[in-house]
Amino acid sequence: MAARIHGGAATALSTFNPKKLVAPSRTNLPAAARSSKRCIVAGGGSDASKKSLSVRHSQKLIANAAVATKAETSATTGTGHELLLFEALQEGLEEEMDRDPHVCVMGEDVGHYGGSYKVTKGLADKFGDLRVLDTPICENAFTGMGIGAAMTGLRPVIEGMNMGFLLLAFNQISNNCGMLHYTSGGQFTIPVVIRGPGGVGRQLGAEHSQRLESYFQSIPGIQMVACSTPYNAKGLMKAAIRSENPVILFEHVLLYNLKEKIPDEEYICNLEEAEMVRPGEHITILTYSRMRYHVMQAAKTLVNKGYDPEVIDIRSLKPFDLYTIGNSVKKTHRVLIVEECMRTGGIGASLTAAINENFHDYLDAPVMCLSSQDVPTPYAGTLEEWTVVQPAQIVTAVEQLCQ
Amino acid sequence: MALSRLSSRSTTLLQPLATTSLLRRRHISTDTTPITVETSLPFTSHLISPPSRAVETSSQELLSFFRDMALMRRMEIAADSLYKAKLIRGFCHLYDGQEAVAIGMEAAITKRDAIITSYRDHCTFLGRGGGLFEAFSELMGRTTGCSKGKGGSMHFYKKDASFYGGHGIVGAQAPLGCGLAFAQKYSKEEAVTFTLYGDGAANQGQLFEALNIAALWDLPAVLVCENNHYGMGTAEWRSAKSPAYFKRGDYVPGLKVDGMDALAVKQACKFAKEHALKNGPIILEMDTYRYHGHSMSDPGSTYRTRDEISGVRQVRDPIDRVRKLIIAHDIATEKELKDMEKEVRKEVDAAVAQAKESPIPEPSELFSNIYVKGFGAESFGADRKELRATLP
């Protein structure tokens, strides 16, 4: 139970009112869980106090919690600052660049233009053109260049303007980024971060709506994480930069303007850990990135109908956090995966296989996976809506599974 | 005459000192008085004035060239027999014939300058200071190999000597090389990166991307095209509209070098290093030749005649060229050189024998070096007991 608390408290979002969730679930639970739950589900009220409570909880439970170093100062005061997701990414990046002169950024229009999604805004003025490098449009070459620089000890953050463009750099990412540590017998580490927005946006067309996590997931040697809130965006960005392994950080085009209050003190999110968004009893819903919001929207409806879904944002796409997921499956015995990848060969497909393999005995029903359709994303708005999973479908699926 | 006097002196000294090469060179080994030699051909250049044909060298250097090239040649031939004996599997790309490029380059640079090359990397590895034992162990997939047996023929690396490999995909090392140069510029080291690629890779798009980047930011990159005239089975005139690879840089200056002449290579690399440190990238085209096929699976004679191969071997062989220079300058006799070659052969055979005895990797090595542990959570799949993230 306690394991769920640390690693980032559940975040309060403007669209989500958790008060409705607390009431029906309390009846089924033992006392201990009830009290811990109250502090995780950060209400729409005073976010600051709730967050500080969870922070203090985290401190008690693990000695070296990420926020432990400076938590005393603002945990008690409970201040934080509100910002948008792209600003959180920028903050994380800037803090890491201040901290370590080896961290540099490279990508198209990251410097003078400030980044196509403003993630690197202002950094070129602060750090100079060499540390925030505007590259020509040659994904293969600048990704390879970042990897070559990483072989010598630099820590580049390579931005793909849209994740889909990184398909041109697939060879570099697969062979050189993922495998060099292994084929050199451990001589070279490749501490790069490859980041960029992906996913289905608002009528961006097929080529600009790709979900590359499904293509990259088989590459050995890389880690993949997907951020979904300003809190975990900053935390994952910092952790990815500090990691000695190559990390691909998947952002989503539609989530850049999410607003949230994040702590003032320095914190990091674990790269390999999943986030408990909403604890529950009846069914485990695994999701990540944008689909987390569709799931939470569906959760509102489900709670009204009397269901108690447990929502986990898996965050770590490679490797999967089978510990958190496993604990959840052992409790609820039903799993629904909601993802934005395509049906064939997506993250959901791998996760289904992993859950079946590891937790087969605990399942009361087959693992259900809701994914996008196996089609190129159409331009027309209505068609695009039907391509991705919508909250109504999630509600239907839960009802079906919980029969 | 001089030669007979030397040989008579040497016979008396040779008998009790059959093993050590150092003594074989007698007082000559400390002779570093400069000798000026002219390169076989003048340099052809593009957008730059070429360096002079007169190369300064010394007897010590020429002898070391000879010995090291003989070592490389022997190593490749030994690798050939090991492959046929099925001790080396997979792909094995041999460098014999092209030794002058590796040797000449090493003579012009330091270990702080980086070299990155393609899969034809055995001799470059040796040139960077890699050991014969590590090389053969790696080829035979033993743990004592330079990449712990997990890389193979195409993945030799030596980080402490700034040798960045060893890459299997044609041309993929070009952007990596630019990255190395970028890091050198970023960290303000006064060093350059030599990015080697072949005439086949010269048609890769990523090469031009890397060239553009290097020229745009004045990166200290020297791009070296080892033109052995065949991209596996396709001759250069059948795959490149413009086989003048040194001119392909367009706005980047280039130099065409006789790649079978170690001294010309040395002169060109020295010139290129000076240029790259001040003015940004430069392309060197090394006109060289490989005696073996593209790899051990390729006989090498279906797309070229045996006469061509033996013709080049007779007229342009790099080791013979240095041998003739050594003899012409009275640095050593033919017999001494032959003895040196025999000694090299023994060294290679010893390394092969030692490597054959080396252990194969443990099964647990399958999963080592995939990730670097240390920062962040420790998660072991479904059995993870605890979870912590620490700010280092």
Side-chain angles (χ1 to χ4, degrees):
Chain A
M1 195 68 75
R4 276 182 269 136
I5 303 176
H6 53 71
T11 53
L13 302 163
S14 39
T15 53
F16 160 50
N17 184 354
K19 290 210 173 79
K20 284 196 193 155
L21 296 178
V22 177
S25 56
R26 215 176 291 157
T27 50
N28 311 341
L29 295 169
R34 240 180 285 150
S35 57
S36 62
K37 257 233 283 238
R38 218 170 290 135
C39 71
I40 298 170
V41 182
S46 58
D47 300 350
S49 57
K50 289 292 191 331
K51 207 150 245 114
S52 62
L53 195 59
S54 63
V55 162
R56 264 180 266 144
H57 254 274
S58 323
Q59 269 178 268
K60 279 186 218 153
L61 295 162
I62 331 116
N64 300 322
V67 291
T69 47
K70 294 183 203 162
E72 274 72 40
T73 48
S74 26
T76 40
T77 59
T79 53
H81 55 286
E82 209 173 51
L83 41 53
L84 304 176
L85 195 145
F86 74 87
E87 289 169 343
L89 287 166
Q90 189 193 336
E91 216 176 76
L93 187 51
E94 195 171 341
E95 280 175 22
E96 290 303 304
M97 288 181 81
D98 276 326
R99 181 180 168 269
D100 184 354
H102 292 107
V103 180
C104 55
V105 182
M106 49 185 76
E108 295 157 12
D109 280 327
V110 294
H112 295 187
Y113 191 81
S116 49
Y117 292 93
K118 293 177 279 187
V119 173
T120 50
K121 191 163 175 209
L123 295 183
D125 293 327
K126 182 170 176 191
F127 295 109
D129 280 347
L130 198 62
R131 277 189 86 183
V132 186
L133 194 63
D134 276 327
T135 63
I137 306 175
C138 46
E139 280 77 10
N140 196 345
F142 70 71
T143 309
M145 190 176 99
I147 295 165
M151 283 169 92
T152 67
L154 288 193
R155 308 182 83 93
V157 176
I158 302 168
E159 174 174 312
M161 191 182 271
N162 185 293
M163 270 293 176
F165 306 161
L166 290 180
L167 285 173
L168 290 159
F170 207 116
N171 176 49
Q172 298 291 345
I173 295 172
S174 169
N175 290 329
N176 295 330
C177 180
M179 301 196 200
L180 261 174
H181 186 60
Y182 190 83
T183 55
S184 66
Q187 284 181 70
F188 298 111
T189 55
I190 317 287
V192 294
V193 177
I194 298 174
R195 51 158 290 268
V200 177
R202 297 251 181 268
Q203 299 186 254
L204 297 177
E207 290 170 358
H208 293 75
S209 311
Q210 299 196 69
R211 287 127 279 170
L212 251 54
E213 53 267 25
S214 48
Y215 305 150
F216 287 149
Q217 63 178 321
S218 296
I219 300 174
I222 57 162
Q223 284 189 260
M224 304 202 301
V225 288
C227 63
S228 47
T229 66
Y231 181 84
N232 63 34
K234 179 177 174 187
L236 289 174
M237 169 72 96
K238 287 170 74 84
I241 293 175
R242 295 201 198 181
S243 169
E244 292 299 319
N245 297 310
V247 179
I248 306 186
L249 173 58
F250 289 92
E251 302 153 13
H252 198 286
V253 276
L254 294 180
L255 298 184
Y256 278 126
N257 289 323
L258 280 178
K259 194 185 271 200
E260 190 190 348
K261 200 168 205 175
I262 64 170
D264 286 327
E265 68 270 14
E266 203 182 12
Y267 70 91
I268 284 197
C269 292
N270 285 342
L271 285 176
E272 295 100 345
E273 188 195 355
E275 188 178 320
M276 176 65 66
V277 185
R278 180 195 187 280
E281 287 293 307
H282 291 162
I283 181 171
T284 301
I285 305 183
L286 302 172
T287 181
Y288 67 93
S289 195
R290 181 191 171 210
M291 286 296 119
R292 167 188 173 139
Y293 298 95
H294 281 208
V295 167
M296 292 315 288
Q297 208 177 325
K300 271 198 291 190
T301 321
L302 286 168
V303 162
N304 285 341
K305 292 191 176 187
Y307 293 96
D308 184 23
E310 176 154 295
V311 180
I312 296 179
D313 181 344
I314 61 174
R315 252 171 34 186
S316 173
L317 304 178
K318 187 181 167 79
F320 291 132
D321 181 7
L322 288 176
Y323 184 70
T324 310
I325 294 172
N327 284 346
S328 178
V329 173
K330 287 174 191 171
K331 191 172 61 156
T332 64
H333 311 296
R334 288 180 171 80
V335 183
L336 172 68
I337 301 171
V338 180
E339 56 156 0
E340 206 174 316
C341 275
M342 314 245 210
R343 178 131 212 87
T344 309
I347 295 288
S350 302
L351 193 51
T352 308
I355 293 173
N356 278 327
E357 207 173 280
N358 287 296
F359 308 118
H360 184 257
D361 289 336
Y362 298 97
L363 290 170
D364 283 347
V367 175
M368 195 188 256
C369 180
L370 295 177
S371 349
S372 299
Q373 303 305 315
D374 277 328
V375 296
T377 313
Y379 166 72
T382 43
L383 290 180
E384 187 184 65
E385 241 177 66
W386 293 332
T387 326
V388 295
V389 180
Q390 298 297 337
Q393 294 165 297
I394 302 172
V395 172
T396 320
V398 171
E399 287 174 341
Q400 213 178 328
L401 269 178
C402 286
Q403 265 162 8
Chain B
M1 54 178 215
L3 275 170
S4 59
R5 254 190 285 131
L6 276 168
S7 52
S8 59
R9 213 181 303 158
S10 64
T11 42
T12 50
L13 284 164
L14 277 171
Q15 270 106 11
L17 308 164
T19 46
T20 50
S21 61
L22 196 63
L23 282 158
R24 197 171 299 277
R25 291 180 201 159
R26 305 184 301 277
H27 56 283
I28 292 173
S29 66
T30 56
D31 189 348
T32 49
T33 52
I35 304 173
T36 313
V37 182
E38 268 220 337
T39 63
S40 57
L41 297 168
F43 297 105
T44 332
S45 67
H46 169 71
L47 290 186
I48 198 171
S49 39
S52 119
R53 273 180 82 176
V55 187
E56 230 178 59
T57 180
S58 68
S59 349
Q60 185 188 28
E61 185 171 67
L62 284 173
L63 279 169
S64 79
F65 276 10
F66 181 83
R67 189 172 204 286
D68 292 337
M69 285 203 279
L71 192 73
M72 289 178 179
R73 178 69 60 91
R74 221 12 28 234
M75 176 180 75
E76 296 297 68
I77 294 177
D80 179 307
S81 356
L82 284 173
Y83 193 90
K84 287 175 176 147
K86 293 214 192 299
L87 282 164
I88 301 178
R89 314 302 301 273
F91 292 125
C92 189
H93 306 87
L94 300 177
Y95 201 72
D96 53 327
Q98 299 182 211
E99 299 92 353
V101 177
I103 288 294
M105 192 179 288
E106 284 300 327
I109 63 178
T110 69
K111 289 291 186 285
R112 285 183 56 238
D113 298 307
I115 296 186
I116 188 169
T117 182
S118 67
Y119 41 78
R120 211 176 290 279
D121 55 355
H122 307 165
C123 298
T124 323
F125 172 72
L126 232 61
R128 285 265 95 179
L132 279 173
F133 173 60
E134 278 84 45
F136 283 118
S137 303
E138 185 62 36
L139 286 172
M140 292 197 265
R142 311 296 167 105
T143 26
T144 44
C146 51
S147 301
K148 299 197 190 141
K150 298 202 280 199
S153 160
M154 298 188 281
H155 299 287
F156 280 25
Y157 304 92
K158 196 166 165 63
K159 186 170 185 185
D160 52 10
S162 306
F163 177 53
Y164 292 88
H167 296 274
I169 304 294
V170 169
Q173 72 272 18
L176 287 181
C178 279
L180 299 173
F182 175 76
Q184 283 169 336
K185 181 168 184 151
Y186 189 99
S187 314
K188 299 197 177 60
E189 308 169 11
E190 287 294 299
V192 299
T193 301
F194 282 80
T195 308
L196 283 72
Y197 59 95
D199 47 297
N203 300 317
Q204 276 267 317
Q206 50 191 329
L207 186 72
F208 294 96
E209 293 179 10
L211 203 69
N212 179 41
I213 285 181
L216 189 64
W217 299 322
D218 288 326
L219 301 182
V222 180
L223 288 107
V224 181
C225 178
E226 290 179 290
N227 183 8
N228 56 24
H229 306 285
Y230 293 95
M232 199 162 87
T234 310
E236 63 176 341
W237 59 270
R238 286 181 61 225
S239 69
K241 182 74 180 171
S242 156
Y245 299 108
F246 69 108
K247 286 192 189 157
R248 288 261 199 110
D250 187 23
Y251 39 82
V252 173
L255 203 63
K256 184 162 173 167
V257 186
D258 178 6
M260 305 298 255
D261 180 356
L263 293 168
V265 173
K266 173 187 162 186
Q267 181 85 320
C269 291
K270 199 153 141 262
F271 176 76
K273 176 172 173 174
E274 278 159 24
H275 182 272
L277 280 174
K278 284 200 307 271
N279 306 330
I282 179 170
I283 300 183
L284 296 179
E285 183 188 333
M286 304 283 178
D287 187 349
T288 180
Y289 198 84
R290 55 168 163 82
Y291 298 143
H292 269 90
H294 164 75
S295 71
M296 289 304 298
S297 335
D298 169 32
S301 49
T302 53
Y303 45 88
R304 52 185 189 174
T305 59
R306 290 197 199 277
D307 289 338
E308 181 189 302
I309 305 173
S310 51
V312 174
R313 206 188 272 270
Q314 272 163 21
V315 178
R316 298 179 65 203
D317 185 69
I319 301 181
D320 281 343
R321 180 189 302 279
V322 175
R323 191 198 308 265
K324 287 189 192 121
L325 268 174
I326 291 176
I327 293 173
H329 283 90
D330 280 347
I331 299 171
T333 62
E334 180 124 12
K335 182 171 188 315
E336 284 169 336
L337 294 179
K338 278 234 172 350
D339 288 336
M340 212 185 267
E341 282 181 304
K342 278 200 203 122
E343 192 192 296
V344 153
R345 185 174 186 149
K346 274 201 212 117
E347 203 179 312
V348 167
D349 289 341
V352 169
Q354 199 189 358
K356 276 184 187 166
E357 302 299 314
S358 302
I360 54 173
E362 292 288 311
S364 60
E365 283 287 318
L366 183 62
F367 299 106
S368 64
N369 301 131
I370 297 190
Y371 291 115
V372 180
K373 279 284 183 205
F375 172 72
E378 311 221 332
S379 57
F380 318 104
D383 295 334
R384 189 181 66 206
K385 297 284 185 291
E386 63 174 301
L387 162 67
R388 62 178 189 277
T390 49
L391 283 168

